Amino acid sequence: MNLYSLLSLRAANGRPVRVGLIGAGKFGSMVLAQAQRIEGLHMVAVADLDVSKARESMNRVGWPKERYAATSCADAIKSGTTFISDDVKAMLQCGEIECVIEATGHPIAGTRHALLAIEHNKHVVMVNVEADVMVGPILAEKARAKGLIYSMAYGDQPALICELVDWARATGFEVTSAGKGMNFEPRYRYSTPDTVWGLFGWTEEQVAADNLNPKLYNSFTDGTKAAIEMAAVANGTGLDCPDDGLAFPPAGLHDLARVFRPVSDGGRMARSGLVDIAASQEPDGREVFNNIRYGVFVTFKAHNEYARACFKQYGLLTDPSGWYASMWRPFHIIGLETSISVLSAVLRNEPTGCSKEFRGDAVATAKKDMQPGEMLDGEGGYAVWANAIPAARSLDLKALPIGLAHNVKLKRPIKKDQIVSFDDVEIVNDLDVVKLRQEMEDRFRPAKSVAA
């Protein structure tokens, strides 16, 4: 609760917090929308492969053109403006930049960017959950070894869920479950970029107005993004993914504590301490009353009769027994809030959530029957969706992480809904990232293995 005071002090001393942004898509645009209004925070550089797209983003969020006319990072620092470029390395070589926001959403590129940023002594705010869930624990370890912060992005759901879990544990409660709301029906699992806008209910005009990416949004729709984010939460909190993947039980705010408690006490969770999703749609498409589609939640348990009585006295929404209660945040506004992570890293030397262990994994799972020679096309595509399972089970299956399922050729047939293994594919590209992933698996291998 003191970030603004710390930032104001930096600004008064003529030492703005200097930041670089990689990726000027939707998330990056939201970061930029607020960065221009935060006194003491200087967006020194924005790097995007498509410079014209980055300029369009600046225009869209209201930056005056003269404020992003710098010709280099040095010029930007001198003039207090912003340099737009397609050269990430040039940004990272700028010694004055303290923190880099990685918002490309591409797991391979994001991994390389994070490694370079750490090499150049920058804190990393990893919007790119796709990269984080694949190799986050080892990136965080590399950052710590250099006295740097590697952080989840505040405003995105994983960081907000980690915050709620931390709150519950710091107040002495047993965390029963944690997760987020999501618009999901079982049929969405097999959505493709060709069908996604119909499921969102958006027109072509709406899509074009905000330059939306169908593959990216399909990864939200088919459950892939949910798996990625929940596995990341598991790695950041020590909670577990369900053995068979996320169940997406429908639940409204009034039912969170009842649904997200163990089966032994009448709930839907196999046991205490799991992540999952509160679906805002019933399996037949009906909207769940009082749903938490845009929010995040934690459920927790009272340890004795006194705490249970306090739940009732102070108006918590509980299960019928009164032992379980819920805490939630009804919204997340992603990049509009990400400055919290930047300022926490730079001013407090503290992440807003961080992958600490390899506990959950988001693994590639077939959307259809496929034959040798067919290609996997990654998150939100036509070939695979991601399933969130325990890391130990993933290792037993030699499962292919969704982040490595890009432009990879099958060498064995696979069935619909089958988890794809490393043995099923031929990987010839991105071997540096494959090597880092294998290093992460060896370095952070769970102590116990779960039978497949």
Side-chain angles (χ1 to χ4, degrees), residues 195-240:
T195 63
V196 64
W197 300 133
L199 296 177
F200 268 90
W202 293 347
T203 66
E204 291 183 8
E205 290 76 17
Q206 287 174 305
V207 173
D210 214 7
N211 191 31
L212 302 179
N213 181 331
K215 197 165 182 281
L216 173 65
Y217 276 79
N218 194 49
S219 73
F220 303 155
T221 303
D222 68 8
T224 289
K225 192 73 169 183
I228 288 169
E229 292 184 333
M230 293 304 97
V233 169
N235 294 337
T237 62
L239 297 173
D240 287 316

mmCIF file of all heavy atoms in Angstrom, residues 195-240:
data_model
loop_
_atom_site.group_PDB
_atom_site.id
_atom_site.type_symbol
_atom_site.label_atom_id
_atom_site.label_comp_id
_atom_site.label_asym_id
_atom_site.label_seq_id
_atom_site.Cartn_x
_atom_site.Cartn_y
_atom_site.Cartn_z
ATOM 1 N N THR A 195 -14.178 -20.613 -35.817
ATOM 2 C CA THR A 195 -15.468 -20.611 -35.121
ATOM 3 C C THR A 195 -15.504 -19.701 -33.895
ATOM 4 O O THR A 195 -16.569 -19.489 -33.315
ATOM 5 C CB THR A 195 -15.821 -22.042 -34.655
ATOM 6 O OG1 THR A 195 -14.845 -22.501 -33.706
ATOM 7 C CG2 THR A 195 -15.853 -23.005 -35.836
ATOM 8 N N VAL A 196 -14.368 -19.152 -33.507
ATOM 9 C CA VAL A 196 -14.266 -18.518 -32.194
ATOM 10 C C VAL A 196 -15.134 -17.281 -32.039
ATOM 11 O O VAL A 196 -15.751 -17.079 -30.994
ATOM 12 C CB VAL A 196 -12.790 -18.192 -31.872
ATOM 13 C CG1 VAL A 196 -12.210 -17.160 -32.839
ATOM 14 C CG2 VAL A 196 -12.659 -17.705 -30.434
ATOM 15 N N TRP A 197 -15.225 -16.431 -33.074
ATOM 16 C CA TRP A 197 -15.956 -15.173 -32.874
ATOM 17 C C TRP A 197 -17.441 -15.432 -32.664
ATOM 18 O O TRP A 197 -18.111 -14.697 -31.935
ATOM 19 C CB TRP A 197 -15.734 -14.232 -34.051
ATOM 20 C CG TRP A 197 -14.298 -13.860 -34.263
ATOM 21 C CD1 TRP A 197 -13.619 -13.868 -35.441
ATOM 22 C CD2 TRP A 197 -13.354 -13.428 -33.279
ATOM 23 N NE1 TRP A 197 -12.308 -13.477 -35.263
ATOM 24 C CE2 TRP A 197 -12.120 -13.195 -33.943
ATOM 25 C CE3 TRP A 197 -13.407 -13.219 -31.902
ATOM 26 C CZ2 TRP A 197 -10.972 -12.768 -33.269
ATOM 27 C CZ3 TRP A 197 -12.267 -12.793 -31.220
ATOM 28 C CH2 TRP A 197 -11.078 -12.573 -31.911
ATOM 29 N N GLY A 198 -17.969 -16.483 -33.273
ATOM 30 C CA GLY A 198 -19.361 -16.839 -33.036
ATOM 31 C C GLY A 198 -19.616 -17.225 -31.598
ATOM 32 O O GLY A 198 -20.655 -16.903 -31.025
ATOM 33 N N LEU A 199 -18.649 -17.922 -30.992
ATOM 34 C CA LEU A 199 -18.793 -18.322 -29.591
ATOM 35 C C LEU A 199 -18.697 -17.126 -28.657
ATOM 36 O O LEU A 199 -19.320 -17.101 -27.591
ATOM 37 C CB LEU A 199 -17.733 -19.369 -29.234
ATOM 38 C CG LEU A 199 -17.846 -20.706 -29.989
ATOM 39 C CD1 LEU A 199 -16.703 -21.633 -29.613
ATOM 40 C CD2 LEU A 199 -19.181 -21.373 -29.718
ATOM 41 N N PHE A 200 -17.907 -16.115 -29.045
ATOM 42 C CA PHE A 200 -17.827 -14.889 -28.249
ATOM 43 C C PHE A 200 -19.051 -14.007 -28.471
ATOM 44 O O PHE A 200 -19.338 -13.127 -27.667
ATOM 45 C CB PHE A 200 -16.560 -14.097 -28.601
ATOM 46 C CG PHE A 200 -15.371 -14.409 -27.739
ATOM 47 C CD1 PHE A 200 -14.487 -15.414 -28.081
ATOM 48 C CD2 PHE A 200 -15.124 -13.710 -26.570
ATOM 49 C CE1 PHE A 200 -13.385 -15.712 -27.295
ATOM 50 C CE2 PHE A 200 -14.026 -13.989 -25.772
ATOM 51 C CZ PHE A 200 -13.161 -14.992 -26.128
ATOM 52 N N GLY A 201 -19.729 -14.202 -29.616
ATOM 53 C CA GLY A 201 -20.867 -13.359 -29.942
ATOM 54 C C GLY A 201 -20.465 -12.010 -30.494
ATOM 55 O O GLY A 201 -21.236 -11.034 -30.413
ATOM 56 N N TRP A 202 -19.250 -11.926 -31.062
ATOM 57 C CA TRP A 202 -18.754 -10.659 -31.594
ATOM 58 C C TRP A 202 -18.904 -10.615 -33.107
ATOM 59 O O TRP A 202 -18.795 -11.635 -33.785
ATOM 60 C CB TRP A 202 -17.281 -10.472 -31.229
ATOM 61 C CG TRP A 202 -17.045 -10.288 -29.780
ATOM 62 C CD1 TRP A 202 -17.978 -10.027 -28.810
ATOM 63 C CD2 TRP A 202 -15.786 -10.356 -29.095
ATOM 64 N NE1 TRP A 202 -17.374 -9.927 -27.576
ATOM 65 C CE2 TRP A 202 -16.028 -10.129 -27.722
ATOM 66 C CE3 TRP A 202 -14.491 -10.590 -29.517
ATOM 67 C CZ2 TRP A 202 -15.024 -10.129 -26.772
ATOM 68 C CZ3 TRP A 202 -13.479 -10.587 -28.570
ATOM 69 C CH2 TRP A 202 -13.740 -10.356 -27.220
ATOM 70 N N THR A 203 -19.136 -9.423 -33.619
ATOM 71 C CA THR A 203 -19.251 -9.231 -35.061
ATOM 72 C C THR A 203 -17.872 -8.992 -35.672
ATOM 73 O O THR A 203 -16.902 -8.669 -34.960
ATOM 74 C CB THR A 203 -20.138 -8.022 -35.382
ATOM 75 O OG1 THR A 203 -19.478 -6.825 -34.922
ATOM 76 C CG2 THR A 203 -21.501 -8.149 -34.713
ATOM 77 N N GLU A 204 -17.784 -9.124 -36.992
ATOM 78 C CA GLU A 204 -16.521 -8.848 -37.680
ATOM 79 C C GLU A 204 -16.090 -7.403 -37.468
ATOM 80 O O GLU A 204 -14.893 -7.107 -37.382
ATOM 81 C CB GLU A 204 -16.663 -9.156 -39.170
ATOM 82 C CG GLU A 204 -16.816 -10.638 -39.478
ATOM 83 C CD GLU A 204 -16.872 -10.911 -40.969
ATOM 84 O OE1 GLU A 204 -16.651 -9.967 -41.754
ATOM 85 O OE2 GLU A 204 -17.136 -12.066 -41.350
ATOM 86 N N GLU A 205 -17.059 -6.504 -37.384
ATOM 87 C CA GLU A 205 -16.743 -5.093 -37.170
ATOM 88 C C GLU A 205 -16.106 -4.871 -35.793
ATOM 89 O O GLU A 205 -15.145 -4.102 -35.657
ATOM 90 C CB GLU A 205 -18.017 -4.246 -37.300
ATOM 91 C CG GLU A 205 -18.575 -4.148 -38.706
ATOM 92 C CD GLU A 205 -19.298 -5.406 -39.156
ATOM 93 O OE1 GLU A 205 -19.658 -6.244 -38.271
ATOM 94 O OE2 GLU A 205 -19.501 -5.573 -40.367
ATOM 95 N N GLN A 206 -16.657 -5.538 -34.775
ATOM 96 C CA GLN A 206 -16.081 -5.419 -33.434
ATOM 97 C C GLN A 206 -14.661 -5.960 -33.391
ATOM 98 O O GLN A 206 -13.780 -5.363 -32.772
ATOM 99 C CB GLN A 206 -16.952 -6.179 -32.423
ATOM 100 C CG GLN A 206 -18.268 -5.522 -32.100
ATOM 101 C CD GLN A 206 -19.137 -6.403 -31.217
ATOM 102 O OE1 GLN A 206 -19.417 -7.553 -31.559
ATOM 103 N NE2 GLN A 206 -19.552 -5.880 -30.073
ATOM 104 N N VAL A 207 -14.430 -7.076 -34.043
ATOM 105 C CA VAL A 207 -13.101 -7.693 -34.067
ATOM 106 C C VAL A 207 -12.095 -6.782 -34.761
ATOM 107 O O VAL A 207 -10.987 -6.552 -34.276
ATOM 108 C CB VAL A 207 -13.165 -9.070 -34.770
ATOM 109 C CG1 VAL A 207 -11.765 -9.636 -34.963
ATOM 110 C CG2 VAL A 207 -14.014 -10.038 -33.958
ATOM 111 N N ALA A 208 -12.501 -6.229 -35.915
ATOM 112 C CA ALA A 208 -11.595 -5.375 -36.686
ATOM 113 C C ALA A 208 -11.274 -4.090 -35.941
ATOM 114 O O ALA A 208 -10.139 -3.581 -36.015
ATOM 115 C CB ALA A 208 -12.221 -5.060 -38.036
ATOM 116 N N ALA A 209 -12.230 -3.561 -35.204
ATOM 117 C CA ALA A 209 -12.025 -2.285 -34.512
ATOM 118 C C ALA A 209 -10.926 -2.355 -33.472
ATOM 119 O O ALA A 209 -10.229 -1.375 -33.222
ATOM 120 C CB ALA A 209 -13.331 -1.837 -33.855
ATOM 121 N N ASP A 210 -10.730 -3.542 -32.873
ATOM 122 C CA ASP A 210 -9.708 -3.668 -31.826
ATOM 123 C C ASP A 210 -8.552 -4.564 -32.250
ATOM 124 O O ASP A 210 -7.739 -4.956 -31.423
ATOM 125 C CB ASP A 210 -10.338 -4.219 -30.542
ATOM 126 C CG ASP A 210 -9.675 -3.639 -29.291
ATOM 127 O OD1 ASP A 210 -8.838 -2.722 -29.417
ATOM 128 O OD2 ASP A 210 -9.989 -4.118 -28.197
ATOM 129 N N ASN A 211 -8.474 -4.888 -33.547
ATOM 130 C CA ASN A 211 -7.354 -5.650 -34.095
ATOM 131 C C ASN A 211 -7.123 -6.938 -33.305
ATOM 132 O O ASN A 211 -6.015 -7.239 -32.856
ATOM 133 C CB ASN A 211 -6.076 -4.788 -34.097
ATOM 134 C CG ASN A 211 -4.950 -5.416 -34.902
ATOM 135 O OD1 ASN A 211 -5.199 -6.123 -35.879
ATOM 136 N ND2 ASN A 211 -3.718 -5.153 -34.488
ATOM 137 N N LEU A 212 -8.170 -7.733 -33.115
ATOM 138 C CA LEU A 212 -8.100 -8.928 -32.277
ATOM 139 C C LEU A 212 -7.598 -10.140 -33.062
ATOM 140 O O LEU A 212 -7.904 -10.310 -34.237
ATOM 141 C CB LEU A 212 -9.482 -9.224 -31.672
ATOM 142 C CG LEU A 212 -10.085 -8.096 -30.827
ATOM 143 C CD1 LEU A 212 -11.456 -8.497 -30.303
ATOM 144 C CD2 LEU A 212 -9.161 -7.709 -29.680
ATOM 145 N N ASN A 213 -6.831 -10.974 -32.376
ATOM 146 C CA ASN A 213 -6.196 -12.140 -32.976
ATOM 147 C C ASN A 213 -7.067 -13.381 -32.728
ATOM 148 O O ASN A 213 -7.245 -13.793 -31.581
ATOM 149 C CB ASN A 213 -4.809 -12.321 -32.339
ATOM 150 C CG ASN A 213 -4.041 -13.489 -32.901
ATOM 151 O OD1 ASN A 213 -4.610 -14.471 -33.353
ATOM 152 N ND2 ASN A 213 -2.724 -13.376 -32.879
ATOM 153 N N PRO A 214 -7.611 -14.020 -33.785
ATOM 154 C CA PRO A 214 -8.518 -15.150 -33.564
ATOM 155 C C PRO A 214 -7.858 -16.342 -32.885
ATOM 156 O O PRO A 214 -8.484 -17.039 -32.083
ATOM 157 C CB PRO A 214 -8.997 -15.502 -34.979
ATOM 158 C CG PRO A 214 -7.983 -14.926 -35.895
ATOM 159 C CD PRO A 214 -7.468 -13.696 -35.212
ATOM 160 N N LYS A 215 -6.591 -16.596 -33.188
ATOM 161 C CA LYS A 215 -5.901 -17.730 -32.563
ATOM 162 C C LYS A 215 -5.713 -17.477 -31.065
ATOM 163 O O LYS A 215 -5.887 -18.373 -30.234
ATOM 164 C CB LYS A 215 -4.557 -17.962 -33.251
ATOM 165 C CG LYS A 215 -3.923 -19.317 -32.986
ATOM 166 C CD LYS A 215 -2.804 -19.578 -33.990
ATOM 167 C CE LYS A 215 -2.178 -20.957 -33.776
ATOM 168 N NZ LYS A 215 -1.234 -20.980 -32.671
ATOM 169 N N LEU A 216 -5.356 -16.243 -30.732
ATOM 170 C CA LEU A 216 -5.189 -15.900 -29.313
ATOM 171 C C LEU A 216 -6.513 -16.056 -28.565
ATOM 172 O O LEU A 216 -6.574 -16.694 -27.506
ATOM 173 C CB LEU A 216 -4.673 -14.466 -29.189
ATOM 174 C CG LEU A 216 -4.611 -13.903 -27.764
ATOM 175 C CD1 LEU A 216 -3.591 -14.664 -26.933
ATOM 176 C CD2 LEU A 216 -4.267 -12.414 -27.793
ATOM 177 N N TYR A 217 -7.571 -15.501 -29.121
ATOM 178 C CA TYR A 217 -8.857 -15.566 -28.426
ATOM 179 C C TYR A 217 -9.422 -16.979 -28.426
ATOM 180 O O TYR A 217 -10.158 -17.361 -27.501
ATOM 181 C CB TYR A 217 -9.838 -14.555 -29.033
ATOM 182 C CG TYR A 217 -9.648 -13.187 -28.432
ATOM 183 C CD1 TYR A 217 -8.611 -12.358 -28.850
ATOM 184 C CD2 TYR A 217 -10.449 -12.744 -27.394
ATOM 185 C CE1 TYR A 217 -8.399 -11.115 -28.276
ATOM 186 C CE2 TYR A 217 -10.249 -11.499 -26.803
ATOM 187 C CZ TYR A 217 -9.221 -10.692 -27.252
ATOM 188 O OH TYR A 217 -9.005 -9.477 -26.658
ATOM 189 N N ASN A 218 -9.067 -17.774 -29.416
ATOM 190 C CA ASN A 218 -9.500 -19.166 -29.380
ATOM 191 C C ASN A 218 -8.817 -19.932 -28.254
ATOM 192 O O ASN A 218 -9.387 -20.870 -27.705
ATOM 193 C CB ASN A 218 -9.236 -19.846 -30.723
ATOM 194 C CG ASN A 218 -9.959 -21.160 -30.845
ATOM 195 O OD1 ASN A 218 -11.152 -21.251 -30.579
ATOM 196 N ND2 ASN A 218 -9.236 -22.205 -31.205
ATOM 197 N N SER A 219 -7.602 -19.527 -27.910
ATOM 198 C CA SER A 219 -6.936 -20.182 -26.781
ATOM 199 C C SER A 219 -7.664 -19.888 -25.470
ATOM 200 O O SER A 219 -7.598 -20.680 -24.527
ATOM 201 C CB SER A 219 -5.466 -19.742 -26.690
ATOM 202 O OG SER A 219 -5.331 -18.419 -26.215
ATOM 203 N N PHE A 220 -8.356 -18.748 -25.392
ATOM 204 C CA PHE A 220 -9.206 -18.481 -24.233
ATOM 205 C C PHE A 220 -10.428 -19.397 -24.264
ATOM 206 O O PHE A 220 -10.839 -19.957 -23.248
ATOM 207 C CB PHE A 220 -9.700 -17.028 -24.225
ATOM 208 C CG PHE A 220 -8.631 -15.979 -24.250
ATOM 209 C CD1 PHE A 220 -8.903 -14.721 -24.752
ATOM 210 C CD2 PHE A 220 -7.361 -16.235 -23.781
ATOM 211 C CE1 PHE A 220 -7.938 -13.736 -24.777
ATOM 212 C CE2 PHE A 220 -6.377 -15.251 -23.801
ATOM 213 C CZ PHE A 220 -6.668 -13.999 -24.303
ATOM 214 N N THR A 221 -11.009 -19.547 -25.450
ATOM 215 C CA THR A 221 -12.280 -20.242 -25.593
ATOM 216 C C THR A 221 -12.162 -21.743 -25.365
ATOM 217 O O THR A 221 -13.007 -22.347 -24.695
ATOM 218 C CB THR A 221 -12.856 -19.982 -27.000
ATOM 219 O OG1 THR A 221 -12.997 -18.572 -27.183
ATOM 220 C CG2 THR A 221 -14.207 -20.644 -27.178
ATOM 221 N N ASP A 222 -11.114 -22.371 -25.913
ATOM 222 C CA ASP A 222 -11.030 -23.839 -25.864
ATOM 223 C C ASP A 222 -10.464 -24.387 -24.556
ATOM 224 O O ASP A 222 -10.268 -25.588 -24.411
ATOM 225 C CB ASP A 222 -10.254 -24.385 -27.066
ATOM 226 C CG ASP A 222 -8.765 -24.044 -27.055
ATOM 227 O OD1 ASP A 222 -8.262 -23.510 -26.041
ATOM 228 O OD2 ASP A 222 -8.091 -24.312 -28.070
ATOM 229 N N GLY A 223 -10.212 -23.504 -23.611
ATOM 230 C CA GLY A 223 -9.717 -23.930 -22.300
ATOM 231 C C GLY A 223 -8.218 -23.966 -22.181
ATOM 232 O O GLY A 223 -7.681 -24.215 -21.093
ATOM 233 N N THR A 224 -7.511 -23.686 -23.276
ATOM 234 C CA THR A 224 -6.043 -23.733 -23.242
ATOM 235 C C THR A 224 -5.482 -22.678 -22.292
ATOM 236 O O THR A 224 -4.615 -22.966 -21.467
ATOM 237 C CB THR A 224 -5.475 -23.539 -24.657
ATOM 238 O OG1 THR A 224 -5.754 -24.707 -25.434
ATOM 239 C CG2 THR A 224 -3.977 -23.303 -24.639
ATOM 240 N N LYS A 225 -5.964 -21.455 -22.418
ATOM 241 C CA LYS A 225 -5.461 -20.384 -21.558
ATOM 242 C C LYS A 225 -5.745 -20.692 -20.091
ATOM 243 O O LYS A 225 -4.924 -20.418 -19.214
ATOM 244 C CB LYS A 225 -6.099 -19.053 -21.951
ATOM 245 C CG LYS A 225 -5.451 -17.839 -21.318
ATOM 246 C CD LYS A 225 -4.100 -17.542 -21.929
ATOM 247 C CE LYS A 225 -3.582 -16.182 -21.494
ATOM 248 N NZ LYS A 225 -2.307 -15.842 -22.140
ATOM 249 N N ALA A 226 -6.908 -21.269 -19.818
ATOM 250 C CA ALA A 226 -7.243 -21.640 -18.442
ATOM 251 C C ALA A 226 -6.242 -22.650 -17.900
ATOM 252 O O ALA A 226 -5.782 -22.539 -16.754
ATOM 253 C CB ALA A 226 -8.658 -22.215 -18.379
ATOM 254 N N ALA A 227 -5.897 -23.650 -18.719
ATOM 255 C CA ALA A 227 -4.931 -24.662 -18.283
ATOM 256 C C ALA A 227 -3.567 -24.041 -18.024
ATOM 257 O O ALA A 227 -2.898 -24.343 -17.030
ATOM 258 C CB ALA A 227 -4.826 -25.769 -19.334
ATOM 259 N N ILE A 228 -3.143 -23.166 -18.922
ATOM 260 C CA ILE A 228 -1.858 -22.490 -18.775
ATOM 261 C C ILE A 228 -1.835 -21.687 -17.478
ATOM 262 O O ILE A 228 -0.891 -21.760 -16.685
ATOM 263 C CB ILE A 228 -1.595 -21.582 -19.995
ATOM 264 C CG1 ILE A 228 -1.282 -22.434 -21.230
ATOM 265 C CG2 ILE A 228 -0.461 -20.599 -19.728
ATOM 266 C CD1 ILE A 228 -1.272 -21.642 -22.531
ATOM 267 N N GLU A 229 -2.892 -20.925 -17.251
ATOM 268 C CA GLU A 229 -2.918 -20.051 -16.080
ATOM 269 C C GLU A 229 -3.038 -20.832 -14.779
ATOM 270 O O GLU A 229 -2.390 -20.490 -13.775
ATOM 271 C CB GLU A 229 -4.053 -19.043 -16.227
ATOM 272 C CG GLU A 229 -3.801 -18.044 -17.343
ATOM 273 C CD GLU A 229 -4.870 -16.984 -17.453
ATOM 274 O OE1 GLU A 229 -6.037 -17.254 -17.067
ATOM 275 O OE2 GLU A 229 -4.553 -15.884 -17.928
ATOM 276 N N MET A 230 -3.842 -21.884 -14.765
ATOM 277 C CA MET A 230 -3.994 -22.647 -13.533
ATOM 278 C C MET A 230 -2.724 -23.439 -13.204
ATOM 279 O O MET A 230 -2.368 -23.592 -12.036
ATOM 280 C CB MET A 230 -5.194 -23.571 -13.615
ATOM 281 C CG MET A 230 -6.536 -22.856 -13.666
ATOM 282 S SD MET A 230 -6.829 -21.713 -12.262
ATOM 283 C CE MET A 230 -6.354 -20.165 -13.010
ATOM 284 N N ALA A 231 -2.035 -23.945 -14.226
ATOM 285 C CA ALA A 231 -0.754 -24.606 -13.962
ATOM 286 C C ALA A 231 0.258 -23.603 -13.422
ATOM 287 O O ALA A 231 1.055 -23.917 -12.530
ATOM 288 C CB ALA A 231 -0.235 -25.280 -15.232
ATOM 289 N N ALA A 232 0.239 -22.384 -13.955
ATOM 290 C CA ALA A 232 1.135 -21.341 -13.447
ATOM 291 C C ALA A 232 0.815 -21.003 -11.996
ATOM 292 O O ALA A 232 1.722 -20.795 -11.176
ATOM 293 C CB ALA A 232 1.040 -20.091 -14.325
ATOM 294 N N VAL A 233 -0.477 -20.949 -11.656
ATOM 295 C CA VAL A 233 -0.870 -20.696 -10.263
ATOM 296 C C VAL A 233 -0.364 -21.815 -9.363
ATOM 297 O O VAL A 233 0.138 -21.566 -8.248
ATOM 298 C CB VAL A 233 -2.399 -20.545 -10.153
ATOM 299 C CG1 VAL A 233 -2.844 -20.543 -8.692
ATOM 300 C CG2 VAL A 233 -2.857 -19.262 -10.837
ATOM 301 N N ALA A 234 -0.492 -23.059 -9.826
ATOM 302 C CA ALA A 234 0.028 -24.183 -9.041
ATOM 303 C C ALA A 234 1.518 -24.001 -8.782
ATOM 304 O O ALA A 234 1.997 -24.195 -7.653
ATOM 305 C CB ALA A 234 -0.232 -25.502 -9.781
ATOM 306 N N ASN A 235 2.258 -23.600 -9.802
ATOM 307 C CA ASN A 235 3.705 -23.424 -9.650
ATOM 308 C C ASN A 235 4.056 -22.235 -8.759
ATOM 309 O O ASN A 235 5.138 -22.198 -8.181
ATOM 310 C CB ASN A 235 4.351 -23.250 -11.024
ATOM 311 C CG ASN A 235 4.240 -24.498 -11.876
ATOM 312 O OD1 ASN A 235 4.075 -25.596 -11.357
ATOM 313 N ND2 ASN A 235 4.332 -24.326 -13.182
ATOM 314 N N GLY A 236 3.141 -21.287 -8.659
ATOM 315 C CA GLY A 236 3.413 -20.114 -7.837
ATOM 316 C C GLY A 236 2.919 -20.220 -6.410
ATOM 317 O O GLY A 236 3.333 -19.436 -5.548
ATOM 318 N N THR A 237 2.029 -21.186 -6.126
ATOM 319 C CA THR A 237 1.404 -21.253 -4.802
ATOM 320 C C THR A 237 1.622 -22.576 -4.078
ATOM 321 O O THR A 237 1.379 -22.652 -2.871
ATOM 322 C CB THR A 237 -0.116 -21.046 -4.915
ATOM 323 O OG1 THR A 237 -0.671 -22.112 -5.714
ATOM 324 C CG2 THR A 237 -0.460 -19.699 -5.543
ATOM 325 N N GLY A 238 2.008 -23.616 -4.805
ATOM 326 C CA GLY A 238 2.104 -24.933 -4.190
ATOM 327 C C GLY A 238 0.792 -25.687 -4.166
ATOM 328 O O GLY A 238 0.724 -26.794 -3.625
ATOM 329 N N LEU A 239 -0.263 -25.110 -4.749
ATOM 330 C CA LEU A 239 -1.490 -25.866 -4.956
ATOM 331 C C LEU A 239 -1.264 -26.859 -6.094
ATOM 332 O O LEU A 239 -0.255 -26.801 -6.785
ATOM 333 C CB LEU A 239 -2.654 -24.921 -5.282
ATOM 334 C CG LEU A 239 -3.040 -23.917 -4.181
ATOM 335 C CD1 LEU A 239 -4.079 -22.933 -4.709
ATOM 336 C CD2 LEU A 239 -3.557 -24.633 -2.938
ATOM 337 N N ASP A 240 -2.217 -27.755 -6.308
ATOM 338 C CA ASP A 240 -2.061 -28.785 -7.331
ATOM 339 C C ASP A 240 -3.130 -28.671 -8.405
ATOM 340 O O ASP A 240 -4.244 -28.209 -8.154
ATOM 341 C CB ASP A 240 -2.164 -30.184 -6.704
ATOM 342 C CG ASP A 240 -0.927 -30.545 -5.900
ATOM 343 O OD1 ASP A 240 0.184 -30.300 -6.386
ATOM 344 O OD2 ASP A 240 -1.086 -31.053 -4.772
#
